[in-house]
Amino acid sequence: MTPMPASPGSRIRARLSRPVAAPSLALFRILFGALLLWDCWRFIRDDRVWRYWIAPEFHFSYPGFAWVGPLSKDWIELGWLGLGIAALFVMLGLFYRIAIVALTVIFGYLARRGP
């Protein structure tokens, strides 16, 4: 009797469950944190925070999240600073779990309110 071929779902699940080498994950973490840190620095340096998040009168929102209003100028700038610090911590691997949660929450808010 011939064995039944594996379903596409089980093949995908098996491929995603394979072990991954730690150095490749570390390289990804470092590059991801560096890219976000560079992006934060660029937005602050070129005054894009003012142009895209503070100056506009109208901000788009996602369905179901209209109750989340825009923050004031000081809080937006603090959010960008916090995003940069979280990206730096992710890049360096310091307090990684806290840093990645902070990065996700802050980035999610800023991406929702962005251009």
Side-chain angles (χ1 to χ4, degrees), residues 82-115:
L83 184 64
I85 291 170
L88 176 68
F89 280 14
V90 166
M91 184 181 79
L92 298 175
L94 297 173
F95 309 108
Y96 183 77
R97 290 181 183 183
I98 296 169
I100 199 68
V101 168
L103 188 137
T104 302
V105 169
I106 297 169
F107 185 83
Y109 178 81
L110 293 175
R112 187 180 89 66
R113 287 286 166 198

Side-chain angles (χ1 to χ4, degrees), residues 11-74:
R11 285 191 305 241
I12 291 171
R13 194 174 316 114
R15 185 159 171 89
L16 290 175
S17 298
R18 286 193 326 210
V20 178
S24 66
L25 292 176
L27 180 64
F28 176 78
R29 174 186 51 81
I30 291 166
L31 292 176
F32 180 70
L35 180 67
L36 283 175
L37 182 62
W38 175 72
D39 199 38
C40 287
W41 175 73
R42 193 173 52 96
F43 265 77
I44 292 169
R45 179 196 67 193
D46 297 339
D47 207 26
R48 292 180 184 170
V49 174
W50 171 263
R51 188 178 331 147
Y52 295 133
W53 277 268
I54 299 169
E57 295 291 323
F58 178 77
H59 295 276
F60 290 99
S61 64
Y62 290 120
F65 286 93
W67 57 273
V68 180
L71 296 173
S72 68
K73 174 187 178 293
D74 295 332

